[in-house]
Amino acid sequence: MRDWKFNHIDFSTYPSSDEKDLGVFWAPEKTSVKIWAPTAKTVEFRLYKDGKTGEAFHKTQLQSGNDGTWSTILTGDYEGKFYTFRVNDGEWLEETPDIYTRCVGVNGLRGIIFNPAKTNPKGWEADKKPELSHFTDAVIYETHVRDFTIAESSGIQHKGRYLGFTEEGTKSPEGLATGLAHLKELGVTHVHLLPVNDFFTVDEEKPKEKYNWGYDPLHYNALEGSYSSDPYDGTVRIKEFKTLVQSLHSAGIGVILDVVYNHTYFTKESVFNQTVPGYFYRQKSDGTFANASGCGNEMATERTMVRKYIIDSLKYWAEEFHIDGFRFDLMGVYDLETMKSIRAELPGLLLYGEGWAADQSPMPEEHRALKQNTSRMPGIAAFNDDFRDALKGNHGLKKSKGFVSGLDLREEAVKFGIVAAVQHPQIVYDYVETSKKPWAALPGQCINYVSCHDNYTLWDKLKLSIPKASDEKMRKMVKLAGALVLTSQGIPFLHAGMEFCRTKGGNGNSYKSPDPVNQIDWSRKKEYSDVFEYYQKLIQLRKNHPAFRMKETSRIQNYIHFCTDYKTGVVSYCIDGDPSGDPWKNIVLIFNGNREPVSIPLPEGNFRIMVQNDHFSEEGIDEMITAEVKVEAISMTILVKAEN
C-alpha cells in the first residue's frame, strides 16, 4: 500500500522543465502530448470516444525526456476525442486527465482534444478589454454565475449559466433592469466572478440538485460545466464563457476571475498527486499534508514547477479568455516570490487577494503573501478586513456592531480605511484594534469593502446585530456603509445585491446552501429602489471626482486632513482636490454614525452642500452655508468650499 508521507523526500532534487507546451495540443495533422512526471517509470496515454463511459480504443506509452517530461506525437486528426493518462512510479496511480487539461467532458473525468479556434464566438478577435488608467479607478462587483441569473425574478432565459450574462434588456417582474442591463445602469467597472474553473461538488449532469460556490477545484485550466448549456461537450462551455466575457467587455466592464490555487478538493486522489505524488503540496515535519487552507491540503507554491504551473495557468486565462484580473483565494497561503513573479508576468491586470490563511502553515509568515506583507508585493492588493469590521462589526459574530450600526470608538479604524491602509500622520494606530500599523504602500494595494460572498450579507449582519432596527434605519445603515466604501481611497469592492439590501435569510456560510438562499432576488431592487439609486449616484460621484481615487500615498498624506474636532460617532475630513485635478477644490466629507443628528463646525469660508441624505448635486443643494452644518443621523454629507 502506498505511503502518503513525504518527509524522506527532498523535492528540490526533482528536475524542472521550462517547456511551454505541457499539455495536449491539437493540430489537423497531429496531436502533441507532453506532461511533467519526473518520478514516473511508465506513462500511458489513453484515447476514448466518450467522456464518461466505454473502453479506451487506443493506448500508447510516452517517451521520457531529460527534464522530467514525458511526451509523444499522435499522427492524424484526433479532434473531439477524449483522453486520460495513467502514471506508474513503481505502482500504478489512478487514471486522470493531465494537470494542464484545458477542455474536459462531463464532471471532468476525461480531457478533450480540441481546436481552440472553434471555441471563439463571432467577433472574438475584435474583443477589447476596457481601459483602466489606474487600479484605483476600478469599482469591483463580486457575483456568482448561478446566483446572478437563477431567480425567476431575473427575467433571464439562460438561468444559472454563462449565457445569462449575455442577454440584453432583461427586466424584473416590476419592469426594472436585471443582469447585464443592471450592471450597466449601476456603473461598476469590473465584475468579479466566483470560481468558474472546473470544480467537483456539483454534478454537471444534474446541476440543480446541488449548489456550491466552487472553491473545491478539480481542474484549474478547464471551465465548470454546470454553467454550460451542454456539459458533455467541453468546447461548448469555452465558447459560452468567451461570449460572457465579450458581452461584458462590449458594455465597458472588465472580468476578474476568482482563482483557488491554494488547495485542491481532493488530496491523495487529486490530478497532481496522481501525476507526481507529494510534489505539489506542502508537508508538515512528519511528512503528512499541511493544511493552511483548512480544506485538507495546501499547495507548495514556492516549488519551481508549482510556481510555473500557476503562472502558466493564469497566463492561459488572461490570453485565451481576455481576462482583466484575478482575485486569489487565501492569498496568505502563497509565498511572496510567487506572487511577485505573477505580477511581473501579468502586467496591467488587477491582482488582489485575501491576505490571510485558514490554518497554520509550515512556511513562516514572513515568506507568505499575508496582509501585513502587502507592502512587499508592489502592484498587488489585499482585502481591508480592518475597514470591513470597523464598519459593521466582527464578520463572524452575529451581535457585534460597527460604526454604521452605532458602535462608538470605531472612528480611528474607519479613518484607516478612508486612507486605504497607508501611512497617514493623523491616524492613531493604537486605536485601530485589528492592525496597529499601515500595511499598504500605495492606495492601489487596498481593497475596501464591507461585505462579500463569505459570512453574512451586509443587510443580514446589520439585522442580526440590531434586530429591532426599523426598515428606514436599515436602509440608512446600508447607504452609510456604501458611502464610506465608495468615497474612500483605494479600490472599492461591492458584494452583488448589496445595492438593494440583499439577504440570505441570516445564513452566514452559504457555500453549499440551495438557490433560494443564494440567488439574487431582483424584486428587492424595486422594494429598495432608493438604496439602489444611492449606490448608483455614489459610483458616478467617484467617477466624476479624482480626489476620491488618488494614486500616490504622498497625495493622501498631503491633501487629506482630518480637519474638524473629534466627535464620538462621527468621522469627518477635508480633501484638497485641486492637486488631483478635481473640479471640487476644497471638499469636506462628514459621516455620522450616531442615531441622532449632529452639528459639525466647518472650516472658515462659505460652503455649498453637494450631498445630503439622498440628494446629490454637482452644483450644490440650496444656498451657501457657513460656520456649521447639521448632519442627519446615520448619513453622509459632502460640502465644497465656494471659490472666491
Side-chain angles (χ1 to χ4, degrees), residues 21 64 71 102 135 250 305 613:
D21 58 348
S64 63
S71 62
R102 298 165 297 142
F135 295 150
S250 296
M305 292 302 288
N613 302 321

Side-chain angles (χ1 to χ4, degrees), residues 391-393 400-407 462 465-466 477 593 595:
L391 294 181
K392 68 175 183 181
S400 68
K401 298 178 183 177
F403 178 81
V404 303
S405 36
L407 184 65
L462 295 172
S465 61
I466 316 176
M477 288 187 284
R595 309 294 100 168

Side-chain angles (χ1 to χ4, degrees), residues 65-76:
N66 296 324
D67 54 359
T69 60
W70 294 74
S71 62
T72 192
I73 300 287
L74 298 178
T75 304

Side-chain angles (χ1 to χ4, degrees), residues 173-186:
E174 298 79 17
L176 298 180
T178 64
L180 179 61
H182 171 80
L183 295 172
K184 292 193 278 189
E185 185 180 43
L186 183 59

Side-chain angles (χ1 to χ4, degrees), residues 3-9 11 278 281-290:
D3 181 5
W4 288 97
K5 290 187 177 181
F6 298 93
N7 50 334
H8 60 291
I9 294 176
F11 290 112
Y281 300 89
R282 289 192 192 122
Q283 288 82 23
K284 293 183 279 192
S285 58
D286 65 358
T288 60
F289 293 105

Side-chain angles (χ1 to χ4, degrees), residues 557-573:
Q557 293 165 337
N558 294 330
Y559 305 127
I560 290 182
H561 306 283
F562 295 93
C563 56
T564 62
D565 292 338
Y566 172 76
K567 194 175 189 73
T568 304
V570 176
V571 173
S572 58
Y573 64 101

Side-chain angles (χ1 to χ4, degrees), residues 211-512:
Y211 175 96
N212 207 279
W213 282 340
Y215 294 96
D216 51 329
L218 195 59
H219 301 297
Y220 287 106
N221 294 338
L223 281 153
E224 169 60 23
S226 65
Y227 304 145
S228 165
S229 64
D230 181 358
Y232 299 95
D233 182 350
T235 63
V236 171
R237 62 185 81 175
I238 296 175
K239 188 170 187 176
E240 290 179 348
F241 182 68
K242 285 180 176 178
T243 307
L244 175 155
V245 173
Q246 186 180 48
S247 295
L248 286 168
H249 282 175
S250 296
I253 299 170
V255 179
I256 296 167
L257 296 189
D258 205 323
V259 290
V260 196
Y261 299 104
N262 64 77
H263 77 280
T264 53
Y265 177 76
F266 291 113
T267 302
K268 295 174 185 177
E269 304 92 337
S270 78
V271 64
F272 297 99
N273 268 331
Q274 296 301 315
T275 305
V276 192
Y279 180 85
F280 282 84
Y281 300 89
R282 289 192 192 122
Q283 288 82 23
K284 293 183 279 192
S285 58
D286 65 358
T288 60
F289 293 105
N291 186 27
S293 71
C295 299
N297 58 73
E298 64 181 280
M299 294 293 257
T301 61
E302 70 282 6
R303 293 177 189 160
T304 302
M305 292 302 288
V306 183
R307 182 178 295 166
K308 171 181 166 53
Y309 177 80
I310 293 171
I311 292 171
D312 286 350
S313 178
L314 291 166
K315 289 173 77 173
Y316 170 66
W317 286 104
E319 292 164 8
E320 183 67 23
F321 294 95
H322 304 176
I323 298 303
D324 302 274
F326 296 98
R327 176 265 195 192
F328 295 87
D329 182 63
L330 295 181
M331 187 171 70
V333 173
Y334 297 65
D335 69 291
L336 285 167
E337 291 308 311
T338 291
M339 291 308 302
K340 288 193 278 190
S341 297
I342 290 168
R343 174 72 284 170
E345 292 284 347
L346 295 166
L349 271 65
L350 262 167
L351 303 177
Y352 58 95
E354 295 177 298
W356 49 81
D359 209 332
Q360 297 298 310
S361 173
M363 173 168 278
E365 289 191 354
E366 63 266 26
H367 299 311
R368 289 190 281 125
L370 294 161
K371 184 179 69 176
Q372 61 263 33
N373 297 328
T374 302
S375 62
R376 296 166 59 192
M377 297 184 286
I380 297 173
F383 282 96
N384 190 353
D385 56 333
D386 309 285
F387 197 38
R388 175 198 67 193
D389 288 359
L391 294 181
K392 68 175 183 181
N394 182 282
H395 65 281
L397 302 176
K398 289 183 182 180
K399 296 185 178 180
S400 68
K401 298 178 183 177
F403 178 81
V404 303
S405 36
L407 184 65
D408 293 338
L409 305 180
R410 285 296 174 273
E411 298 83 12
E412 221 62 25
V414 173
K415 289 161 63 177
F416 184 91
I418 285 168
V419 302
V422 302
Q423 175 67 43
H424 192 280
Q426 288 182 282
I427 293 178
V428 182
Y429 291 95
D430 285 345
Y431 289 129
V432 181
E433 279 191 355
T434 46
S435 286
K436 298 301 181 185
K437 60 182 180 179
W439 46 259
L442 291 167
Q445 289 189 289
C446 174
I447 302 288
N448 271 333
Y449 74 122
V450 68
S451 66
C452 66
H453 67 277
D454 278 322
N455 313 118
Y456 303 108
T457 68
L458 174 60
W459 177 270
D460 288 346
K461 179 68 173 72
L462 295 172
K463 196 68 180 172
L464 288 164
S465 61
I466 316 176
K468 294 183 180 178
S470 66
D471 188 70
E472 181 189 3
K473 279 190 176 174
M474 289 291 295
R475 292 170 193 250
K476 284 189 167 190
M477 288 187 284
V478 173
K479 289 175 185 176
L480 182 58
L484 279 155
V485 168
L486 285 160
T487 59
S488 293
Q489 305 301 316
I491 303 170
F493 174 103
L494 306 176
H495 180 216
M498 69 180 283
E499 71 275 18
F500 44 81
C501 304
R502 181 178 182 180
T503 177
K504 293 183 183 178
N507 189 316
N509 188 19
S510 68
Y511 77 99
K512 62 177 182 179

Side-chain angles (χ1 to χ4, degrees), residues 6-7 18 35 39 129 178 192 209 237 283 365 372 504 525 549 578 584 588 607 614:
F6 298 93
N7 50 334
D18 59 3
I35 69 168
T39 57
K129 294 183 177 186
T178 64
H192 161 154
E209 288 190 359
R237 62 185 81 175
Q283 288 82 23
E365 289 191 354
Q372 61 263 33
K504 293 183 183 178
K525 186 176 177 181
R549 41 191 171 86
D578 196 36
W584 291 351
V588 179
F607 289 84
D614 288 355

